[in-house]
Amino acid sequence: MQIFRAFTDTARMAETGFRTYNHARPHGPWPPLADEARILVKNTGRRSTRPLRTTLADVARAAGVSINTASRAFRSPKTVRPELRLQIEEAATALHYLPNRLAGGLAGAHTGIVGVVVTSLFYSEFGETLETMQGELEAAGLHVMLGNSRYDRNEELRLVRAMLSWRPAGIGLVGVDHHPGIRELLKREQVPVVEFWDVCDDCFDCSVGMDHCRIGAIQAGHLIARDCTRIAFVGSTRNEDHRARKRLAGCMATVREQLGCELTQCTLTEGGSPELGARLARTLLESHPEIDGIACNSDVVAFGVLRTLREMGLRVPNDVKVIGFGDRAAATCMNPSLSTVIPPRSAIGEEAARMLLRRIDGGKPAIRTFDAELAARGSTGGP
Amino acid sequence: MQIFRAFTDTARMAETGFRTYNHARPHGPWPPLADEARILVKNTGRRSTRPLRTTLADVARAAGVSINTASRAFRSPKTVRPELRLQIEEAATALHYLPNRLAGGLAGAHTGIVGVVVTSLFYSEFGETLETMQGELEAAGLHVMLGNSRYDRNEELRLVRAMLSWRPAGIGLVGVDHHPGIRELLKREQVPVVEFWDVCDDCFDCSVGMDHCRIGAIQAGHLIARDCTRIAFVGSTRNEDHRARKRLAGCMATVREQLGCELTQCTLTEGGSPELGARLARTLLESHPEIDGIACNSDVVAFGVLRTLREMGLRVPNDVKVIGFGDRAAATCMNPSLSTVIPPRSAIGEEAARMLLRRIDGGKPAIRTFDAELAARGSTGGP
DNA sequence: TTGAAAGCGCTACCAG
DNA sequence: CTGGTAGCGCTTTCAA
């Protein structure tokens, strides 16, 4: 038995003696789709190994219209007579039509893929931002393809290249400090880009995030306002976590300015974790017992610091005050509750998505800075 | 001026008088890619609006080989003479060739996209699992397209459909309880699927995760082993969070069996958070002051419970013992540290990816259950 | 408002 | 080992 597939190829149509595809066969119910169907292509007897799936052509044929009209019925319904449109929709439902967006992307102007490369998925650092961003894009019919560079610039470059090979409608990147190759690549591809979480003026295209120097300054400023005079900065400063370094720098500058002395830096290049915080705090306080204020590079680190302080018999906030960054869920449940700086996670995700959407729609690049908010809690003496 | 593009179309070749594409023009350096280039298609003067990008055909021409050979040079390098391969690679680099995976996917057997639909991105519930899974797939050249159903079955169905329209090589889904339409859809598409985090025998294809009933049983069993006799279960049981309900059920059954009494259930259908835990704990203890053991549906909820207990002047573990689920980073930093059940997050992610990879490679479906481990800490009286 | 046909860039098959 | 060529399924002119 020979099953004719939907086809548009002129030569084949001529060969089979049909003038137009739509009328190649009488209309009517489509033969049931056999599982793992193998079909005969052309009259050559050659076999295709791909499953027989409903295509737009099948829908068109079943509805008695041209492929083109069927396409328009989905894409711009207003340009098709309502009655035809209904027929087409019915045919699509009956045949379980599922559009092939690869084909659509290949033929069309853009793809509906947005490549997002984050630096980490652990500890939900970007979970909430990603959730909002993804939701916003989804609502516009775009899908997020996710990459994770694990704070590795070369890996990030490779991922961006990989994303670009899907011809994305846009690209999202965490931070503004990247491998130089990325700028070159993105420029050549002329694709809308949003760098989020951190901001700068010299970004590739769009950027939205926080001034991380300022966050460090807020931490130090708050400790100073609470009468700390010997301040330490504790946490992870991975080589390629530029944002962590900026927070450190902001903290350092503020201490220098307002206190006229140097910050005690106690950091390692391994990733942040409670264990890191716990270890660093012990080292720090054994060698610098005069420390009365600790700014942590993340809440997760601060949790560990609080634990060590407790173990060492130091009272918080009386003996030492502690502030984190990130406002993780557990912060309010620590004893005492952890003061921290709150990043507007969902606002950033939402704005990142919107910027991309506007750019894809032909709009201009934009840059926007969000403020991070101080949450003064028990660990620095309360509100 | 008329710029000829790479083309393979026979009719056009005939029209332009060239026998084969590769020799259509003398070899040599490719003209620089003008930004936003507009090109003349055919001799009709029609204009294409798409940017002029390097295609495989360009690379082939520059290297003096057929498109076909160039393709094989990338895909299965061994089948091409080393010296030719080098030429092709050099041409690709010189022309900044970026493969178009849409085209590859459309023409080839499968696409290199894996659609993953999670129920939440918040609180990093699946962050670590996703991180491992994504990494494992990335290493195999597959890319994760991410969807988030927000615990909504209809949304999940829509997302699966959306993912399928990208003709993914595989699909990953959180949990094993889905909208019936999903089974139908996946069956029709014959695509490898892995359901992860939860397991069951009647899964679509593959599944890997934990027995969530068992997790509830572990929680209750541990509280009972620590001499609790009045046990409550606290947390969020969203309508469509079947896993939370299974943990509740497991807990309930164990209490009934071992204690011969009923569990006090104190749950709401809103999402889990410290605030929920805090509120529920207050309600619970005001009406059931006899409670001496609380199993929480997640660590995040347990954090809030601990806070309330502290505020109410109840001592943990002396007056009330508390156990969570999830082993969030902060758990060891609570005061007292939080006992919990540890899910093997990365193991699940890794195995999920591997199962998919094996299936894509023609392997058989598999089912695998991982055990969750008890972490007995301060909130239940220590190890 | 509808239809015809030319691609989009690549893979896979077959022939040499 | 290499090349020719027919699609993959869709969008997009252009013509009717």
PDB file of all heavy atoms in Angstrom, chain B residues 207-220:
ATOM      1  N   SER B 207      10.828   7.006  34.733  1.00  0.00           N
ATOM      2  CA  SER B 207      10.658   7.882  35.886  1.00  0.00           C
ATOM      3  C   SER B 207      11.716   7.626  36.926  1.00  0.00           C
ATOM      4  O   SER B 207      12.204   6.505  37.093  1.00  0.00           O
ATOM      5  CB  SER B 207       9.227   7.811  36.441  1.00  0.00           C
ATOM      6  OG  SER B 207       9.099   6.899  37.486  1.00  0.00           O
ATOM      7  N   VAL B 208      12.113   8.711  37.592  1.00  0.00           N
ATOM      8  CA  VAL B 208      13.143   8.610  38.622  1.00  0.00           C
ATOM      9  C   VAL B 208      12.844   9.625  39.712  1.00  0.00           C
ATOM     10  O   VAL B 208      12.598  10.792  39.443  1.00  0.00           O
ATOM     11  CB  VAL B 208      14.555   8.859  38.038  1.00  0.00           C
ATOM     12  CG1 VAL B 208      14.603  10.128  37.220  1.00  0.00           C
ATOM     13  CG2 VAL B 208      15.591   8.904  39.152  1.00  0.00           C
ATOM     14  N   GLY B 209      12.834   9.150  40.930  1.00  0.00           N
ATOM     15  CA  GLY B 209      12.547  10.055  42.026  1.00  0.00           C
ATOM     16  C   GLY B 209      12.426   9.313  43.332  1.00  0.00           C
ATOM     17  O   GLY B 209      12.986   8.223  43.482  1.00  0.00           O
ATOM     18  N   MET B 210      11.682   9.912  44.226  1.00  0.00           N
ATOM     19  CA  MET B 210      11.554   9.314  45.548  1.00  0.00           C
ATOM     20  C   MET B 210      10.119   8.875  45.778  1.00  0.00           C
ATOM     21  O   MET B 210       9.191   9.358  45.151  1.00  0.00           O
ATOM     22  CB  MET B 210      11.908  10.350  46.607  1.00  0.00           C
ATOM     23  CG  MET B 210      13.313  10.885  46.467  1.00  0.00           C
ATOM     24  SD  MET B 210      13.511  12.433  47.378  1.00  0.00           S
ATOM     25  CE  MET B 210      12.496  13.548  46.422  1.00  0.00           C
ATOM     26  N   ASP B 211       9.991   7.972  46.736  1.00  0.00           N
ATOM     27  CA  ASP B 211       8.673   7.557  47.191  1.00  0.00           C
ATOM     28  C   ASP B 211       8.243   8.567  48.258  1.00  0.00           C
ATOM     29  O   ASP B 211       8.745   8.553  49.378  1.00  0.00           O
ATOM     30  CB  ASP B 211       8.793   6.152  47.781  1.00  0.00           C
ATOM     31  CG  ASP B 211       7.472   5.685  48.367  1.00  0.00           C
ATOM     32  OD1 ASP B 211       6.562   6.513  48.571  1.00  0.00           O
ATOM     33  OD2 ASP B 211       7.353   4.474  48.628  1.00  0.00           O
ATOM     34  N   HIS B 212       7.351   9.450  47.887  1.00  0.00           N
ATOM     35  CA  HIS B 212       7.014  10.540  48.805  1.00  0.00           C
ATOM     36  C   HIS B 212       6.199  10.082  50.010  1.00  0.00           C
ATOM     37  O   HIS B 212       6.248  10.703  51.071  1.00  0.00           O
ATOM     38  CB  HIS B 212       6.350  11.685  48.048  1.00  0.00           C
ATOM     39  CG  HIS B 212       7.324  12.473  47.229  1.00  0.00           C
ATOM     40  ND1 HIS B 212       7.763  13.718  47.565  1.00  0.00           N
ATOM     41  CD2 HIS B 212       7.998  12.143  46.097  1.00  0.00           C
ATOM     42  CE1 HIS B 212       8.642  14.145  46.693  1.00  0.00           C
ATOM     43  NE2 HIS B 212       8.796  13.205  45.769  1.00  0.00           N
ATOM     44  N   CYS B 213       5.447   9.004  49.850  1.00  0.00           N
ATOM     45  CA  CYS B 213       4.763   8.408  50.997  1.00  0.00           C
ATOM     46  C   CYS B 213       5.789   8.019  52.050  1.00  0.00           C
ATOM     47  O   CYS B 213       5.652   8.280  53.238  1.00  0.00           O
ATOM     48  CB  CYS B 213       4.025   7.137  50.581  1.00  0.00           C
ATOM     49  SG  CYS B 213       2.313   7.416  50.197  1.00  0.00           S
ATOM     50  N   ARG B 214       6.832   7.408  51.541  1.00  0.00           N
ATOM     51  CA  ARG B 214       7.906   6.937  52.410  1.00  0.00           C
ATOM     52  C   ARG B 214       8.554   8.104  53.164  1.00  0.00           C
ATOM     53  O   ARG B 214       8.943   7.967  54.324  1.00  0.00           O
ATOM     54  CB  ARG B 214       8.925   6.211  51.535  1.00  0.00           C
ATOM     55  CG  ARG B 214      10.181   5.756  52.171  1.00  0.00           C
ATOM     56  CD  ARG B 214      10.230   4.260  52.417  1.00  0.00           C
ATOM     57  NE  ARG B 214      11.368   3.967  53.310  1.00  0.00           N
ATOM     58  CZ  ARG B 214      11.310   4.055  54.628  1.00  0.00           C
ATOM     59  NH1 ARG B 214      10.164   4.381  55.219  1.00  0.00           N
ATOM     60  NH2 ARG B 214      12.379   3.818  55.362  1.00  0.00           N
ATOM     61  N   ILE B 215       8.663   9.226  52.490  1.00  0.00           N
ATOM     62  CA  ILE B 215       9.257  10.395  53.153  1.00  0.00           C
ATOM     63  C   ILE B 215       8.407  10.822  54.343  1.00  0.00           C
ATOM     64  O   ILE B 215       8.922  11.081  55.431  1.00  0.00           O
ATOM     65  CB  ILE B 215       9.404  11.566  52.155  1.00  0.00           C
ATOM     66  CG1 ILE B 215      10.490  11.228  51.133  1.00  0.00           C
ATOM     67  CG2 ILE B 215       9.734  12.868  52.873  1.00  0.00           C
ATOM     68  CD1 ILE B 215      10.524  12.147  49.936  1.00  0.00           C
ATOM     69  N   GLY B 216       7.095  10.838  54.131  1.00  0.00           N
ATOM     70  CA  GLY B 216       6.192  11.156  55.249  1.00  0.00           C
ATOM     71  C   GLY B 216       6.347  10.143  56.366  1.00  0.00           C
ATOM     72  O   GLY B 216       6.360  10.480  57.559  1.00  0.00           O
ATOM     73  N   ALA B 217       6.504   8.890  55.971  1.00  0.00           N
ATOM     74  CA  ALA B 217       6.658   7.828  56.972  1.00  0.00           C
ATOM     75  C   ALA B 217       7.947   8.012  57.763  1.00  0.00           C
ATOM     76  O   ALA B 217       7.986   7.802  58.977  1.00  0.00           O
ATOM     77  CB  ALA B 217       6.651   6.469  56.281  1.00  0.00           C
ATOM     78  N   ILE B 218       8.997   8.425  57.055  1.00  0.00           N
ATOM     79  CA  ILE B 218      10.276   8.660  57.744  1.00  0.00           C
ATOM     80  C   ILE B 218      10.119   9.780  58.768  1.00  0.00           C
ATOM     81  O   ILE B 218      10.591   9.679  59.904  1.00  0.00           O
ATOM     82  CB  ILE B 218      11.377   9.024  56.724  1.00  0.00           C
ATOM     83  CG1 ILE B 218      11.744   7.802  55.876  1.00  0.00           C
ATOM     84  CG2 ILE B 218      12.611   9.567  57.432  1.00  0.00           C
ATOM     85  CD1 ILE B 218      12.718   8.090  54.757  1.00  0.00           C
ATOM     86  N   GLN B 219       9.413  10.830  58.361  1.00  0.00           N
ATOM     87  CA  GLN B 219       9.217  11.960  59.276  1.00  0.00           C
ATOM     88  C   GLN B 219       8.501  11.494  60.544  1.00  0.00           C
ATOM     89  O   GLN B 219       8.952  11.719  61.665  1.00  0.00           O
ATOM     90  CB  GLN B 219       8.399  13.058  58.595  1.00  0.00           C
ATOM     91  CG  GLN B 219       9.126  13.749  57.448  1.00  0.00           C
ATOM     92  CD  GLN B 219       8.265  14.824  56.811  1.00  0.00           C
ATOM     93  OE1 GLN B 219       7.131  14.582  56.394  1.00  0.00           O
ATOM     94  NE2 GLN B 219       8.790  16.037  56.741  1.00  0.00           N
ATOM     95  N   ALA B 220       7.361  10.841  60.343  1.00  0.00           N
ATOM     96  CA  ALA B 220       6.566  10.397  61.485  1.00  0.00           C
ATOM     97  C   ALA B 220       7.354   9.385  62.310  1.00  0.00           C
ATOM     98  O   ALA B 220       7.393   9.469  63.548  1.00  0.00           O
ATOM     99  CB  ALA B 220       5.262   9.783  60.992  1.00  0.00           C
TER     100      ALA B 220
END
